[in-house]
Amino acid sequence: FVLLCIEYLLLLHIIHCLFKNTLKRKSWLSVCARTFCGAGRECVSTDRGEPVCRCLQVKHWVCGSNGKSYRNHCELHRDACITQTKIHVEHRGHCLEKPTKANVSPIVCFLSDRDWMRERVIQWIQKEAEDLASNTSAGDILQTYFQAYDDGDSQLDSNEFLRFLKHNETALNITYSDTLQTNLLLRSLCVDALIELSDENADWKLSLTEFINCLTPTYHPTERKCALEDEVFEDGAETQMECNKCVCACGNWVCTTLTCNGASSLKNNEEMTEEEWSRRVAELNALQVDSLS
């Protein structure tokens, strides 16, 4: 009998709960019947029987059309409301980071860089001449250095010229960049530009006469400019060749060597060989001959 009573009480409790929930749901339906909640929200009834819109408890992230990630739809639409902008869900999950298109420029030695290096070396040589006997000239000191760093062919190439600069590294203090690798590259490029300055036979080596001319203050050769399609460009000018940027530096076009994609892609998206790229840059520089003649 006791068991029957317990089962009867449990049954009454279950019926009471079902009835209560039904009344609560009917109350919620009547309260929210005329309440519209925006996207990402749902209407619920408060303890006072008042409708209120609350965020859906969505656990997955969404990516907005503005490229911003939100914890759920509701936060996205709330941000749209606050900023008064139209934002829709682009896709579920976090937004994927889109790689920015880098504006890559080639590392070059400009005229100002070359002339600054030249001025530093001239000052160094003149200071040594002043510290020595009065009958010692800057030309005599340059001849001594030429003989010291010449490997026997009576000419200085770029590597020998760099070793000459390192002879008095402290006094020169030639620094172009905070990055060691970039600084070394720029110094090498500016040495090439210095050699080209007085290299009369265009063999990329300096004879003693050419070496002394290069580092003589009164020597002022004609400054070369870059030419392209019947136009002459000053030092520092830029142009685009497919996806690569070309910069005018010391009378030469210097270009990056990126692999191009899309409409301007190379055949089979393959990178140019060094020989092919040198030929294309040479075509740009060849136009300078006409402009200077």
Side-chain angles (χ1 to χ4, degrees):
F1 176 76
V2 174
L3 290 175
L4 289 174
C5 289
I6 293 174
E7 290 177 357
Y8 177 74
L9 290 174
L10 288 174
L11 181 61
L12 287 177
H13 178 72
I14 293 173
I15 294 173
H16 175 73
C17 289
L18 291 174
F19 180 73
K20 183 178 179 180
N21 289 337
T22 301
L23 290 177
K24 186 176 180 180
R25 180 167 179 79
K26 286 184 178 180
S27 175
W28 172 79
L29 289 174
S30 61
V31 169
C32 292
R34 297 182 180 181
T35 302
F36 173 75
C37 295
R41 298 185 177 192
E42 62 177 348
C43 177
V44 295
S45 177
T46 64
D47 295 337
R48 297 181 179 181
E50 299 173 348
V52 63
C53 292
R54 293 180 180 175
C55 290
L56 289 170
Q57 297 302 312
V58 182
K59 295 182 180 180
H60 62 77
W61 287 70
V62 293
C63 175
S65 55
N66 59 349
K68 185 178 177 180
S69 299
Y70 297 90
R71 292 182 181 276
N72 50 50
H73 292 72
C74 187
E75 288 193 3
L76 180 148
H77 292 290
R78 179 168 53 197
D79 190 23
C81 180
I82 294 173
T83 59
Q84 295 184 352
T85 56
K86 293 183 178 179
I87 307 174
H88 63 267
V89 177
E90 197 72 35
H91 59 78
R92 294 183 60 176
H94 289 270
C95 294
L96 301 177
E97 293 185 5
K98 297 181 180 179
T100 55
K101 189 176 181 181
N103 186 19
V104 182
S105 296
I107 298 176
V108 296
C109 174
F110 292 110
L111 285 175
S112 58
D113 300 323
R114 182 202 66 185
D115 294 343
W116 179 68
M117 173 185 279
R118 182 173 180 244
E119 183 62 27
R120 298 287 295 180
V121 178
I122 289 175
Q123 290 174 357
W124 158 38
I125 299 300
Q126 288 178 335
K127 181 65 167 57
E128 283 204 357
E130 292 173 359
D131 294 341
L132 295 174
S134 59
N135 60 346
T136 303
S137 66
D140 295 333
I141 296 176
L142 287 173
Q143 182 174 357
T144 301
Y145 281 124
F146 183 90
Q147 293 170 349
Y149 291 99
D150 171 33
D151 62 0
D153 63 353
S154 299
Q155 292 180 315
L156 286 188
D157 58 23
S158 59
N159 289 328
E160 293 165 342
F161 203 116
L162 282 169
R163 289 201 296 271
F164 157 65
L165 294 182
K166 291 179 180 178
H167 178 87
N168 203 342
E169 184 86 23
T170 304
L172 285 173
N173 191 25
I174 300 174
T175 304
Y176 294 102
S177 170
D178 295 334
T179 306
L180 177 61
Q181 185 176 2
T182 303
N183 187 59
L184 292 175
L185 177 57
L186 278 171
R187 183 181 297 194
S188 178
L189 292 173
C190 286
V191 162
D192 289 340
L194 271 181
I195 291 177
E196 187 180 20
L197 180 69
S198 57
D199 183 19
E200 297 179 357
N201 60 352
D203 62 352
W204 290 100
K205 295 181 180 180
L206 296 183
S207 64
L208 176 59
T209 301
E210 292 171 339
F211 179 65
I212 293 176
N213 284 339
C214 177
L215 299 175
T216 299
T218 55
Y219 179 73
H220 297 293
T222 303
E223 295 290 0
R224 297 174 60 204
K225 297 182 180 180
C226 299
L228 178 63
E229 296 180 355
D230 300 327
E231 290 188 54
V232 178
F233 295 87
E234 298 289 340
D235 197 74
E238 298 179 355
T239 187
Q240 199 75 17
M241 189 162 67
E242 295 185 341
C243 68
N244 284 278
K245 178 184 288 186
C246 299
V247 179
C248 177
C250 295
N252 297 297
W253 287 110
V254 183
C255 306
T256 56
T257 56
L258 304 176
T259 302
C260 303
N261 297 313
S264 60
S265 62
L266 303 173
K267 291 182 179 179
N268 299 325
N269 288 333
E270 294 179 351
E271 200 172 51
M272 279 187 177
T273 63
E274 183 177 351
E275 181 180 355
E276 291 172 334
W277 190 257
S278 298
R279 186 182 71 251
R280 298 198 65 176
V281 176
E283 291 173 359
L284 281 175
N285 291 325
L287 295 173
Q288 297 173 180
V289 177
D290 295 334
S291 65
L292 296 174
S293 60

